[in-house]
Amino acid sequence: MLDTQQKIKQLREELRNHNYYYYVLDNATISDRDFDMLLKELQELENKHPEFFDPNSPTQRVGGEVTKNFNTIDHTHRMYSLDNSYSRQDILDWETRIQKILGDVSLEYTCELKYDGASINLYYKDGKLEKAVTRGDGFQGDEVTANVKTIRSIPLVIKNKTIDTFEIRGEIVLPLDGFVQMNKERVEVGEDPYRNPRNTASGSLKLQDSAEVADRPLDCLLYQVVADRPPFKTHFEALQFAKDAGFKVPQTIKVCFTTDEILEFLNYWDENRHTLPYETDGVVIKVNSLDHQEELGYTAKSPRWALAYKFKAEQAITVLNEITYQVGRTGAITPVANLEPVELAGTTVKRASLHNADQIEKLDIRINDTVFVEKGGEIIPKIVAIDLDKRPTGSIPTKYITHCPDCDTELVRKEGDAKHFCPNEFGCPTQITGRIQHFISRKTMNIDGLGAETIELLYKEGLIHNYADLYELTEDKIIPLERMAEKSAKNIVKGVENSKKVTFEKVLFALGIRYVGETVAKKLARHYKNIDNLTNASFDELVNVDEIGDRIANSIIDFFSNEINVEIINRLKQFGITFSLDEKYLEDQTDKFKGLVFVVSGVFHKFSRTELKKSIENNGGKVTGSISKKTSYIIAGDNMGPSKKEKADKLGVPIISEIDFIELLK
Ligand code: AMP
Ligand code: ZN
């Protein structure tokens, strides 16, 4: 038998490799399921053997570390801005300027796309990711290592060690399909969609809970290696090294020898950039030779050896024909602009989202207005401005609807909500079917055999009025329906039966409580452990759960104080739906530390910080970021901050070691 350490090492390597093929090369070498099984195997071994803990193990990608305040860190080498250019002439002028400084040498350039996201500086030491720092003001940035580690395309350990200690810079982006998916989910739970991928990417880096970052489909595209004495002659070679080391360096980079070649690159990508899976907002032209780069140096704010060329934002002009209103499954109303079809960035645009009443008021948009539409990041294009000169005389301001377009109930808008809602939860057809459709979807109860249309049919035929009714469907009831064969009826009944095994987290998400999306449902499930605890939770208790705010808490209270919901849940219970956390998860749980508040500080040997925190929480304790009178214990590792120590002494809070903690656990 392989010894454990060896086995752990082997698993880590294997997982790292699959990860690389999947996330960097976009070429899967293993099924998701097999990957998960290997990961689980490794996780179990690591749990049993905390002495082999490694912060760069593939198991550390799932996040879990919570950062309340991000440390500010000095960049070892400043992160400069780039000078911008907007025309062919600007580029020619730049070339003349640098040619003058360098004298009569022949110049080589690289052209790269300018990826539109959040810049990041990754520090590697001895081949391992040491820290990740945002650009900040270029001199100092925030350390966001825990969050960045969750981005699967960033190697935690490099593959090629030509050099193993260096900085590498890149752009963290949110690819478009992931962005669309995230927004779809947000809109579904009644939240406003995110504005654009760039802001969402940079916002993600500052999330406190790294597990939440791990759930976001972020990617990182690298564009510069910085090392003290690099063994490379050119920027291109340096990027080639980065690629070999396991980083994602886009293929689109090109070495150019003449201005014409540069211009060709610009023109090509100006036209074709929308075929890429992520957003770009220009091209960066760099002098290829690192010697030349050094000779050219920097101005006060940017390198002389590089120049950015910005693409023009693509706009189209068209006319607003009509505003329609959509009802979501939570009753949220979304106004939609129906436009005279127009070509924009390679697609025909017919509709644009108007988000909510405020947006309409802010734009003062009216029927028959001539509008400017942009695809600036949003997939659904947005209306950026109105051409008031073209406004027809006698046009009247848009009045937001007062009643539901579906069931004609008067709409409500609560304080603090951006959106109007139809309050007729149990009578509004779109809400009824929408909720059931959500209940059966892949990320919730995952009921095979049922689709959106079948739900509508079953509802229309009076067979279901809510999701509990699904569990009373029988083949006999389904077969007589139009276009229902025996086989599909069988599948539906089987799918419904299978859903009884779906885990509590997913069931909670499936219930369709407003503002309770996938992540929130997970948090609540872990915290409350079963539906009864959650049902009985008071507002004050709810807002004390990490990241549950007033709005979510109110929505949960509303949901469970509604008799109809209570009855539906009781029926679901009788049908045998899973309403508590998996036994396995509960196994190591006690309430030994109930009422105790811990602060964790420093570096540990027996546990990772995440494990330590998990162990506290599993035993009913609470972990907070800062020391106060309420703190019961501080668990101190190596290098605990002196200010923390001082504060602890002042408040008389006991400081214990990880060994003491293990004693407490026993
Ligand atoms: P700016 O923010 O306009 O000064 O542009 C500089 C920023 O462009 C850098 O901080 C990078 O984050 C970003 N950038 C995106 N793609 C590239 C690239 N290929 N090369 C250099 N910088 C890039
Ligand atoms: Zn309605």
Side-chain angles (χ1 to χ4, degrees):
M1 209 184 82
L2 224 52
D3 95 310
T4 313
Q5 188 171 13
Q6 205 57 34
K7 178 77 191 162
I8 288 180
K9 192 168 164 233
Q10 183 203 320
L11 278 169
R12 283 177 183 161
E13 228 142 76
E14 202 174 325
L15 282 160
R16 234 168 242 146
N17 240 329
H18 290 309
N19 200 68
Y20 171 71
Y21 274 93
Y22 189 80
Y23 289 102
V24 180
L25 302 183
D26 211 2
N27 181 8
T29 40
I30 184 172
S31 73
D32 287 358
R33 207 187 116 80
D34 290 343
F35 185 89
D36 288 345
M37 303 233 301
L38 285 177
L39 191 66
K40 207 163 152 230
E41 189 182 348
L42 175 61
Q43 182 71 66
E44 275 164 13
L45 281 176
E46 287 183 355
N47 287 350
K48 263 196 232 139
H49 297 275
E51 68 273 24
F52 299 136
F53 171 75
D54 175 355
N56 292 313
S57 164
T59 53
Q60 301 301 304
R61 298 251 194 214
V62 294
E65 194 162 321
V66 174
T67 317
K68 293 280 178 204
N69 294 301
F70 294 98
N71 287 332
T72 309
I73 286 201
D74 288 335
H75 288 293
T76 312
H77 301 92
R78 176 172 164 192
M79 290 183 84
Y80 284 87
S81 291
L82 290 171
D83 278 341
N84 280 322
S85 65
Y86 301 92
S87 67
R88 189 194 157 96
Q89 191 55 47
D90 287 345
I91 295 169
L92 293 174
D93 290 349
W94 172 69
E95 230 194 337
T96 315
R97 268 198 315 273
I98 55 178
Q99 200 55 273
K100 214 165 126 192
I101 299 176
L102 293 176
D104 191 20
V105 295
S106 67
L107 278 172
E108 227 175 86
Y109 304 92
T110 58
C111 285
E112 281 162 67
L113 285 163
K114 191 163 188 287
Y115 323 115
D116 201 10
S119 38
I120 194 78
N121 199 9
L122 306 171
Y123 290 81
Y124 283 79
K125 202 173 152 199
D126 304 328
K128 292 183 180 152
L129 176 65
E130 183 193 27
K131 58 187 181 201
V133 185
T134 63
R135 177 168 129 173
D137 63 2
F139 296 98
Q140 294 185 316
D142 291 325
E143 196 203 328
V144 290
T145 317
N147 286 344
V148 163
K149 264 191 183 172
T150 67
I151 301 173
R152 308 308 202 264
S153 59
I154 296 178
L156 301 181
V157 178
I158 61 171
K159 289 157 70 75
N160 165 325
K161 299 199 171 144
T162 305
I163 50 172
D164 66 0
T165 299
F166 55 91
E167 282 171 47
I168 184 162
R169 292 164 178 184
E171 200 80 357
I172 293 188
V173 298
L174 186 56
L176 291 164
D177 54 352
F179 177 73
V180 173
Q181 187 57 32
M182 276 175 71
N183 266 351
K184 207 173 130 227
E185 285 164 20
R186 274 180 78 84
V187 171
E188 264 186 23
V189 294
E191 305 266 17
D192 273 338
Y194 291 118
R195 305 295 286 181
N196 60 51
R198 181 191 350 109
N199 291 352
T200 316
S202 61
S204 303
L205 293 182
K206 293 297 190 62
L207 287 173
Q208 297 192 336
D209 184 354
S210 58
E212 215 170 305
V213 187
D215 275 344
R216 298 191 172 184
L218 298 165
D219 206 344
C220 183
L221 310 171
L222 285 306
Y223 59 73
Q224 192 186 4
V225 181
V226 183
D228 277 336
R229 239 165 290 119
F232 319 113
K233 288 223 149 333
T234 64
H235 170 61
F236 189 77
E237 267 174 48
L239 288 186
Q240 189 58 46
F241 152 74
K243 207 185 265 181
D244 295 341
F247 294 93
K248 196 179 233 180
V249 180
Q251 297 288 353
T252 42
I253 179 169
K254 184 165 186 274
V255 179
C256 295
F257 300 92
T258 64
T259 321
D260 281 345
E261 276 179 302
I262 295 176
L263 296 175
E264 204 179 301
F265 186 92
L266 296 183
N267 290 338
Y268 179 83
W269 285 110
D270 206 353
E271 292 246 312
N272 291 286
R273 61 190 164 120
H274 297 291
T275 59
L276 293 168
Y278 43 80
E279 299 213 296
T280 55
D281 62 343
V283 168
V284 186
I285 311 155
K286 297 173 188 167
V287 171
N288 195 20
S289 151
L290 296 183
D291 281 344
H292 288 162
Q293 284 192 5
E294 200 173 305
E295 209 175 325
L296 288 166
Y298 298 81
T299 67
K301 96 179 215 318
S302 42
R304 286 199 189 84
W305 46 263
L307 186 68
Y309 171 86
K310 290 261 166 120
F311 294 133
K312 279 187 279 303
E314 278 175 277
Q315 265 193 1
I317 298 174
T318 186
V319 172
L320 174 72
N321 288 333
E322 192 192 4
I323 297 177
T324 51
Y325 298 84
Q326 286 178 344
V327 191
R329 73 171 159 85
T330 60
I333 307 290
T334 303
V336 179
N338 293 261
L339 306 165
E340 194 54 36
V342 64
E343 285 299 307
L344 175 63
T347 54
T348 307
V349 173
K350 297 192 197 99
R351 289 143 64 86
S353 169
L354 288 166
H355 301 300
N356 53 46
D358 291 345
Q359 180 77 5
I360 291 181
E361 202 175 312
K362 204 170 106 205
L363 285 168
D364 180 25
I365 190 171
R366 307 178 184 188
I367 304 299
N368 291 330
D369 268 348
T370 298
V371 298
F372 295 93
V373 240
E374 241 179 46
K375 260 201 164 172
E378 277 160 283
I379 318 308
I380 305 173
K382 65 175 173 192
I383 294 175
V384 287
I386 291 163
D387 188 346
L388 291 178
D389 293 341
K390 296 231 173 81
R391 174 168 282 174
T393 43
S395 90
I396 40 170
T398 297
K399 268 223 188 76
Y400 204 78
I401 47 165
T402 53
H403 290 72
C404 175
D406 195 18
C407 72
D408 209 32
T409 306
E410 191 172 350
L411 300 179
V412 293
R413 185 187 196 182
K414 284 205 196 122
E415 217 179 283
D417 275 346
K419 287 195 178 279
H420 285 72
F421 284 87
C422 165
N424 184 18
E425 231 175 295
F426 299 101
C428 186
T430 323
Q431 290 188 59
I432 295 174
T433 50
R435 260 195 315 267
I436 306 175
Q437 282 158 355
H438 168 71
F439 187 85
I440 62 159
S441 64
R442 202 177 48 78
K443 286 199 146 190
T444 54
M445 303 306 278
N446 192 18
I447 301 184
D448 282 342
L450 272 176
E453 276 164 33
T454 320
I455 295 297
E456 257 154 40
L457 179 69
L458 292 170
Y459 171 69
K460 214 177 74 204
E461 297 290 337
L463 286 181
I464 52 172
H465 305 93
N466 57 56
Y467 37 68
D469 294 341
L470 292 171
Y471 294 87
E472 281 172 350
L473 288 174
T474 55
E475 286 175 39
D476 296 350
K477 287 190 199 163
I478 304 171
I479 291 171
L481 301 185
E482 216 181 311
R483 277 179 290 126
M484 276 296 168
E486 209 180 305
K487 187 155 168 258
S488 16
K490 263 207 173 69
N491 280 341
I492 293 175
V493 175
K494 198 169 123 215
V496 168
E497 184 60 31
N498 283 341
S499 74
K500 293 179 183 172
K501 284 185 250 145
V502 164
T503 59
F504 178 43
E505 287 109 307
K506 290 194 174 171
V507 173
L508 207 48
F509 179 35
L511 295 182
I513 306 170
R514 186 182 298 165
Y515 305 131
V516 177
E518 204 181 353
T519 327
V520 173
K522 240 188 235 169
K523 285 225 161 89
L524 291 170
R526 302 260 159 95
H527 187 90
Y528 286 101
K529 308 199 169 58
N530 64 47
I531 192 89
D532 293 334
N533 289 342
L534 178 63
T535 310
N536 297 327
S538 68
F539 178 84
D540 289 342
E541 281 165 17
L542 283 165
V543 291
N544 260 323
V545 180
D546 226 11
E547 281 174 52
I548 306 291
D550 293 9
R551 208 173 51 136
I552 301 176
N554 274 323
S555 162
I556 295 169
I557 301 267
D558 281 352
F559 184 89
F560 289 109
S561 45
N562 185 307
E563 271 170 44
I564 304 181
N565 288 330
V566 172
E567 196 204 307
I568 293 177
I569 288 175
N570 281 335
R571 283 177 61 208
L572 290 176
K573 277 183 181 167
Q574 276 159 19
F575 296 132
I577 309 301
T578 313
F579 273 125
S580 57
L581 273 187
D582 198 343
E583 298 274 332
K584 262 202 257 90
Y585 189 83
L586 289 174
E587 241 166 45
D588 328 310
Q589 310 235 335
T590 74
D591 48 15
K592 196 174 284 166
F593 295 156
K594 199 165 179 183
L596 297 184
V597 180
F598 292 80
V599 169
V600 176
S601 176
V603 180
F604 299 92
H605 301 283
K606 304 249 177 250
F607 297 92
S608 72
R609 281 163 75 99
T610 318
E611 284 165 349
L612 197 53
K613 287 179 184 173
K614 228 188 233 156
S615 158
I616 294 169
E617 278 164 5
N618 283 346
N619 290 288
K622 218 180 132 185
V623 184
T624 61
S626 60
I627 302 168
S628 73
K629 284 197 298 262
K630 289 194 194 132
T631 313
S632 323
Y633 292 102
I634 298 163
I635 309 179
D638 299 347
N639 303 329
M640 170 174 158
S643 64
K644 276 206 171 131
K645 185 154 179 9
E646 202 174 295
K647 194 155 177 202
D649 289 342
K650 211 165 108 201
L651 293 171
V653 180
I655 302 180
I656 62 174
S657 70
E658 59 183 321
I659 308 290
D660 299 334
F661 176 74
I662 294 172
E663 279 303 308
L664 275 183
L665 256 179
K666 288 184 190 153

